[in-house]
Coordinates of all heavy atoms in Angstrom, one line a residue:
H131 N 161.3 80.0 4.5 CA 161.9 81.3 4.2 C 163.0 81.6 5.2 O 163.8 82.6 4.9 CB 160.8 82.3 4.1 CG 160.0 82.6 5.4 ND1 159.2 81.6 5.9 CD2 160.1 83.4 6.4 CE1 158.8 82.1 7.0 NE2 159.2 83.1 7.4
W132 N 163.1 80.9 6.2 CA 164.2 81.1 7.2 C 165.5 80.5 6.5 O 165.5 79.6 5.6 CB 164.0 80.3 8.5 CG 163.0 80.9 9.3 CD1 162.0 81.9 9.0 CD2 162.7 80.5 10.7 NE1 161.1 82.2 10.1 CE2 161.6 81.4 11.2 CE3 163.1 79.6 11.6 CZ2 161.0 81.2 12.4 CZ3 162.6 79.5 12.8 CH2 161.6 80.2 13.3
N133 N 166.6 81.0 7.0 CA 167.9 80.5 6.6 C 168.2 79.2 7.6 O 168.7 79.5 8.7 CB 169.1 81.5 6.6 CG 170.4 80.9 6.2 OD1 170.6 79.8 5.9 ND2 171.4 81.8 6.4
I134 N 168.0 77.9 7.2 CA 168.2 76.9 8.0 C 169.6 76.3 7.9 O 170.0 75.9 6.9 CB 167.1 75.7 7.8 CG1 165.7 76.4 7.8 CG2 167.3 74.6 8.7 CD1 165.3 77.0 9.1
I135 N 170.3 76.3 9.1 CA 171.6 75.8 9.1 C 171.7 74.4 9.6 O 171.2 74.1 10.8 CB 172.6 76.6 9.9 CG1 172.5 78.1 9.3 CG2 174.0 76.0 9.9 CD1 173.0 78.4 8.0
P136 N 172.1 73.3 9.0 CA 172.1 72.1 9.4 C 172.7 71.9 10.8 O 173.7 72.6 11.0 CB 172.6 71.2 8.5 CG 172.6 72.0 7.1 CD 172.6 73.3 7.5
Y137 N 172.2 70.9 11.5 CA 172.9 70.6 12.9 C 174.4 70.4 12.6 O 174.9 69.7 11.7 CB 172.3 69.3 13.5 CG 172.8 68.9 14.8 CD1 173.1 69.8 15.8 CD2 173.2 67.5 15.0 CE1 173.6 69.4 17.1 CE2 173.8 67.2 16.3 CZ 173.9 68.1 17.2 OH 174.5 67.6 18.4
K138 N 175.2 71.0 13.5 CA 176.7 71.0 13.5 C 177.3 71.9 12.6 O 178.5 72.2 12.6 CB 177.3 69.5 13.3 CG 176.9 68.5 14.2 CD 177.5 67.1 14.0 CE 177.1 66.1 15.0 NZ 177.8 64.8 14.7
G139 N 176.4 72.6 11.7 CA 176.9 73.6 10.8 C 177.0 75.0 11.5 O 176.4 75.1 12.7
Y140 N 177.3 76.0 10.8 CA 177.5 77.4 11.3 C 176.9 78.4 10.4 O 177.0 78.3 9.2 CB 179.1 77.6 11.4 CG 179.7 77.0 12.7 CD1 180.1 75.7 12.6 CD2 180.1 77.8 13.8 CE1 180.7 75.0 13.7 CE2 180.6 77.1 14.8 CZ 180.9 75.8 14.7 OH 181.6 75.2 15.8
Y141 N 176.3 79.4 11.0 CA 175.9 80.6 10.3 C 177.0 81.8 10.7 O 177.2 82.0 11.8 CB 174.6 81.1 10.7 CG 174.2 82.6 10.4 CD1 174.0 82.9 9.0 CD2 174.3 83.6 11.3 CE1 173.8 84.2 8.6 CE2 174.0 84.9 10.9 CZ 173.8 85.1 9.5 OH 173.4 86.5 9.2
N142 N 177.7 82.2 9.8 CA 178.8 83.1 10.0 C 178.4 84.5 9.6 O 177.9 84.7 8.5 CB 179.9 82.7 9.1 CG 180.5 81.4 9.6 OD1 181.2 81.2 10.6 ND2 180.4 80.2 8.9
Y143 N 178.7 85.5 10.3 CA 178.3 86.9 10.1 C 179.4 87.6 10.9 O 179.7 87.7 12.1 CB 177.1 87.3 10.7 CG 176.7 88.7 10.5 CD1 176.3 89.0 9.1 CD2 176.9 89.7 11.3 CE1 176.1 90.4 8.8 CE2 176.5 91.0 11.1 CZ 176.3 91.4 9.8 OH 175.9 92.7 9.5
K144 N 180.2 88.5 10.0 CA 181.3 89.3 10.5 C 182.1 88.8 11.6 O 182.4 89.2 12.5 CB 180.5 90.5 11.1 CG 180.0 91.7 10.1 CD 179.6 93.0 10.7 CE 179.2 93.9 9.7 NZ 178.8 95.4 10.3
G145 N 182.7 87.6 11.1 CA 183.7 86.9 11.9 C 183.1 86.2 13.2 O 183.9 85.7 14.0
V146 N 181.9 86.1 13.3 CA 181.3 85.3 14.4 C 180.5 84.1 13.8 O 179.7 84.3 13.0 CB 180.2 86.2 15.2 CG1 179.6 85.4 16.4 CG2 181.0 87.4 15.7
G147 N 180.8 83.0 14.4 CA 180.0 81.8 14.0 C 179.0 81.4 15.0 O 179.3 81.2 16.1
F148 N 177.8 81.4 14.5 CA 176.7 80.9 15.3 C 176.5 79.4 15.1 O 176.3 78.9 13.9 CB 175.3 81.6 15.0 CG 175.4 83.2 15.3 CD1 176.3 84.0 14.4 CD2 174.9 83.7 16.4 CE1 176.3 85.3 14.7 CE2 175.2 85.0 16.6 CZ 175.7 85.8 15.8
T149 N 176.3 78.6 16.1 CA 176.0 77.2 15.9 C 175.2 76.6 17.1 O 175.3 77.3 18.3 CB 177.3 76.3 15.7 OG1 177.0 75.0 15.4 CG2 178.1 76.3 17.0
H150 N 174.5 75.5 17.1 CA 173.8 75.0 18.2 C 174.7 74.7 19.4 O 174.6 75.1 20.5 CB 172.9 73.8 17.8 CG 172.2 73.3 19.0 ND1 171.2 74.0 19.8 CD2 172.3 72.2 19.7 CE1 170.7 73.4 20.7 NE2 171.4 72.2 20.8
I151 N 175.9 73.8 19.0 CA 176.7 73.5 20.0 C 178.1 73.1 19.3 O 178.0 72.4 18.3 CB 176.2 72.4 20.9 CG1 177.4 72.1 22.0 CG2 175.9 71.2 20.1 CD1 177.6 73.1 23.0
P152 N 179.2 73.7 19.6 CA 180.5 73.2 19.0 C 180.8 71.7 19.3 O 180.4 71.1 20.3 CB 181.6 74.0 19.6 CG 180.7 75.2 20.2 CD 179.5 74.7 20.6
I153 N 181.3 71.1 18.3 CA 181.7 69.6 18.3 C 183.2 69.4 18.5 O 183.9 70.0 17.7 CB 181.1 69.0 17.0 CG1 179.6 69.3 16.9 CG2 181.3 67.3 17.1 CD1 178.7 68.7 18.0
N154 N 183.5 68.6 19.5 CA 185.0 68.4 19.5 C 185.5 67.3 18.7 O 184.9 66.9 17.7 CB 185.1 67.9 21.1 CG 184.6 66.5 21.4 OD1 184.3 65.8 20.6 ND2 184.4 66.3 22.7
G155 N 186.9 67.2 18.8 CA 187.5 66.2 17.8 C 187.0 64.9 17.8 O 187.4 64.0 16.9
A156 N 186.3 64.4 18.9 CA 185.9 63.0 18.9 C 184.4 63.0 18.5 O 183.7 61.9 18.4 CB 185.8 62.6 20.5
G157 N 183.9 64.1 17.9 CA 182.6 64.1 17.2 C 181.4 64.3 18.2 O 180.3 64.2 17.9
K158 N 181.7 64.7 19.4 CA 180.7 64.9 20.5 C 180.6 66.4 20.7 O 181.5 67.2 20.8 CB 181.3 64.1 21.8 CG 181.5 62.7 21.6 CD 180.2 62.0 21.2 CE 180.4 60.3 21.1 NZ 179.1 59.7 20.7
P159 N 179.4 66.8 21.4 CA 179.2 68.0 21.7 C 180.0 68.4 22.9 O 180.0 67.5 23.8 CB 177.7 68.2 22.1 CG 177.1 67.0 21.3 CD 178.2 65.9 21.3
I160 N 180.5 69.7 22.9 CA 181.2 70.0 24.1 C 180.3 70.4 25.3 O 179.1 70.5 25.1 CB 182.2 71.2 23.9 CG1 181.3 72.4 23.5 CG2 183.1 71.0 22.8 CD1 182.1 73.7 23.5
G161 N 180.6 70.3 26.5 CA 179.9 70.7 27.7 C 180.7 70.8 28.9 O 182.0 70.9 28.8
G162 N 180.0 70.8 30.1 CA 180.8 71.0 31.4 C 180.9 72.3 31.8 O 180.5 73.3 31.3
K163 N 181.7 72.5 32.9 CA 181.7 73.8 33.6 C 182.3 74.9 32.7 O 182.0 76.0 32.8 CB 182.4 73.6 34.9 CG 182.6 74.9 35.8 CD 183.3 74.5 37.0 CE 183.3 75.8 37.9 NZ 184.1 75.5 39.2
Y164 N 183.4 74.5 32.0 CA 184.1 75.5 31.2 C 183.9 75.3 29.7 O 184.8 75.3 28.9 CB 185.7 75.2 31.5 CG 186.1 75.4 32.9 CD1 186.4 74.2 33.7 CD2 186.2 76.5 33.6 CE1 186.7 74.3 35.0 CE2 186.3 76.7 34.9 CZ 186.7 75.6 35.6 OH 187.0 75.6 37.0
V165 N 182.7 75.3 29.4 CA 182.2 75.1 28.0 C 182.5 76.2 27.1 O 183.1 76.0 26.0 CB 180.7 75.0 28.0 CG1 179.9 76.1 28.4 CG2 180.3 74.4 26.6
C166 N 182.6 77.5 27.6 CA 183.0 78.6 26.7 C 184.5 78.5 26.5 O 185.0 78.9 25.3 CB 182.7 79.9 27.4 SG 180.9 80.2 27.2
T167 N 185.3 78.0 27.5 CA 186.8 77.9 27.3 C 187.0 76.8 26.2 O 187.9 77.1 25.4 CB 187.4 77.7 28.6 OG1 187.2 78.7 29.5 CG2 188.9 77.5 28.5
K168 N 186.3 75.8 26.3 CA 186.5 74.7 25.5 C 186.2 75.2 24.1 O 186.8 74.8 22.9 CB 185.5 73.5 25.8 CG 186.1 72.9 27.1 CD 185.0 71.7 27.5 CE 185.3 71.2 28.9 NZ 184.4 70.2 29.3
A169 N 185.0 76.0 23.9 CA 184.7 76.5 22.5 C 185.8 77.6 22.0 O 186.0 77.4 20.8 CB 183.3 77.3 22.7
L170 N 186.4 78.2 22.7 CA 187.6 79.0 22.3 C 188.7 78.2 21.8 O 189.3 78.6 20.8 CB 188.0 79.9 23.4 CG 187.1 81.2 23.7 CD1 187.6 81.8 25.0 CD2 187.0 82.2 22.7
E171 N 189.0 77.1 22.4 CA 190.1 76.2 22.0 C 189.8 75.5 20.6 O 190.6 75.2 19.9 CB 190.3 75.1 23.1 CG 190.8 75.7 24.3 CD 190.9 74.6 25.5 OE1 190.2 73.5 25.2 OE2 191.5 74.9 26.6

Side-chain angles (χ1 to χ4, degrees):
H131 57 291
W132 290 10
N133 183 3
I134 307 293
I135 309 299
Y137 179 50
K138 300 183 181 181
Y140 285 76
Y141 166 72
N142 293 290
Y143 181 75
K144 284 191 174 180
V146 180
F148 296 80
T149 191
H150 180 65
I151 183 67
I153 305 299
N154 64 24
K158 302 294 184 181
I160 63 172
K163 184 177 181 180
Y164 302 106
V165 66
C166 283
T167 303
K168 294 174 185 176
L170 288 170
E171 293 171 352

